[in-house]
Amino acid sequence: MGQFVSAKLLLRLIWIFTCLSVISLSGCEQKNVSVADVTATSETTITALIWAPDWPEEMLQIADEFNKLNPEIRVNVQFMIGNSVEQNIKPRIASGNLPDLMSVNPNAYSVELAEQGVLADVSRTQAWNNMLDSLKGDWTTPGHKPFGISGGVATTLIYYNKDMFAKAGITRLPTNFDEFLAVCAHLKRSGLTPIFWDGAFPNMLGNGPFSFGFANNVVAHEHAWKEKIADGTLDLNTPLVADIFDKILLMAERGNVQSGYMSTNYDEGIKLFTEGKTAMAFQGSWASGLLMHGKGFQTGVFIPPWNDPGKLVVPVIGSETGFAVCETANKAAALRFLEFIAGKGFPILQNKRQNISPFKVPQGKIVSDPQITAYTNTVSDYSITASPYYSFLPTNTIERLHPLIQDVLLKKTTPKLAAKILDMSIKNEAKLHYK
């Protein structure tokens, strides 16, 4: 009985203490605490896994500005490393350690993630509705699910130092690969390094000479090339595909690239051009904010002439790497951050990169270089265009391609064997239904 009284007394004391606490906290009057109040005062941390080789500071600034406007949401920005977006995503998927928002490419792998329910539907966002209609097909699954927002209109081109071209007596831009080699020879005779190769960052060799080689040696001859890659019927074990790798090696063998090119990374390559140490850069439109403003010289642009004499060049244009939201507990907060990246935060990104905006009506004042705009408009009108390699190759093939290009440059593999390995990889991925 004594134990029962003690327990009963203890419960009553606890009840009295709780009531006094509530009265104290509510200013001596009763108050109902709503779910909205709890949400407003608690902090949510979202993880953003981002591919930003040339704009990490801007991404951090976007996160900071978002946090100022949304103090209840903190963004933990993590940057992707290595040579591809997928190389960073796959381990996170396998371990179940999904970020809340991440960079993705507009390719079959991302489509599969969306179809599997890993990536969220973004069709109800302002960002999706404001994105250029010409890009939406790249970011929609066969089942009509929009899964991402493009970072921009992507194209690869050759930037050139007008002063160096004038010094070498070059008055006419090359329109085919033979003429391009002749231009390189003129530059060398004038004591200039024609172009840089990013040997330590094969991603750019993939975006540049590989993508243009594929465009002019494969896409130009096969209108159903995308479908045949998907079903494994495209024959790439051919002399034309070997020629893609041969051109990459030929540029190095003829001394048209900088010394130590196999150790040159992304940033170092850009620096070589902007500091006037190479006459050309085979780079993406996404880096125009840096490459169009070299130190003490004017920059021009032209379509990479990777075509044979008498053949019309096939340019490369498509969607840039973009952003997707994952199906996590923090999806709502991540969607808010996506809206900010594509809305009020977009000028921070765009005005550094000065690329072609992926939006119909960008928020705020943005800067795009007029030469890049004109170039993009020109190549968009071509009857035949190709896509950047990251948007059509299977992800495992991309990871195989990077060291394959390096092996060709190091002469560990011949261009002919590289074509065979590429062909086998794509056919194997199709057979196994891998993306």
Side-chain angles (χ1 to χ4, degrees), residues 320-332:
E320 270 192 40
T321 298
F323 307 95
V325 169
C326 295
E327 288 285 358
T328 67
N330 297 325
K331 181 175 77 170

Side-chain angles (χ1 to χ4, degrees), residues 39 53 67 99 102 147 169 185 207 221 234 238 251 296 340 355 357-358 366 424:
T39 303
N67 186 240
M102 65 182 178
F147 63 87
N207 274 310
H221 305 281
L234 184 63
T238 67
M251 289 292 292
F340 185 81
N355 190 17
S357 168
I366 65 169
M424 291 172 59

Side-chain angles (χ1 to χ4, degrees), residues 156-160 165 172-184 195 197 208-209 211-217 243 247 250-251 280-283 301-316 375 379 382:
T156 42
L157 60 154
I158 289 184
Y159 301 80
Y160 72 99
F165 270 50
R172 180 174 174 272
L173 295 174
T175 59
N176 60 61
F177 192 70
D178 288 351
E179 292 178 358
F180 181 74
L181 292 176
V183 164
C184 290
I195 199 167
W197 258 193
S211 287
F212 257 85
F214 195 93
N216 288 275
N217 289 17
D243 180 71
K247 282 186 170 72
L250 182 65
M251 289 292 292
M280 293 181 285
F282 200 153
Q283 249 281 359
V301 299
F302 62 89
I303 301 174
W306 249 238
N307 52 308
D308 291 331
K311 301 292 185 181
L312 183 66
V313 68
V314 178
V316 172
Y375 177 95
V379 299
Y382 273 59

Side-chain angles (χ1 to χ4, degrees), residues 362-420:
Q363 291 190 34
K365 185 177 180 180
I366 65 169
V367 178
S368 292
D369 189 278
Q371 287 193 73
I372 301 300
T373 301
Y375 177 95
T376 305
N377 290 337
T378 297
V379 299
S380 296
D381 290 336
Y382 273 59
S383 58
I384 302 176
T385 61
S387 305
Y389 82 116
Y390 56 76
S391 65
F392 65 82
L393 288 181
T395 56
N396 289 334
T397 299
I398 290 173
E399 293 176 15
R400 184 68 189 90
L401 175 66
H402 290 154
L404 191 59
I405 293 174
Q406 292 174 320
D407 285 348
V408 168
L409 286 169
L410 292 170
K411 297 188 176 181
K412 295 180 178 179
T413 302
T414 66
K416 183 177 180 180
L417 181 56
K420 182 178 180 180

Side-chain angles (χ1 to χ4, degrees), residues 210 234-245 397 400-401 404 408 413-428:
F210 177 84
L234 184 63
D235 185 12
L236 296 179
N237 187 18
T238 67
L240 280 174
V241 176
D243 180 71
I244 299 173
F245 296 98
T397 299
R400 184 68 189 90
L401 175 66
L404 191 59
V408 168
T413 302
T414 66
K416 183 177 180 180
L417 181 56
K420 182 178 180 180
I421 293 171
L422 179 68
D423 180 70
M424 291 172 59
S425 176
I426 289 179
K427 283 182 168 59
N428 186 60

Side-chain angles (χ1 to χ4, degrees), residues 25 30 86 91 136 182 204:
L25 289 172
Q30 191 173 355
E86 292 77 18
K136 287 183 177 179
M204 266 320 301

Side-chain angles (χ1 to χ4, degrees), residues 246-257:
D246 190 54
K247 282 186 170 72
I248 296 173
L249 177 60
L250 182 65
M251 289 292 292
E253 287 183 326
R254 292 201 175 183
N256 293 329
V257 302

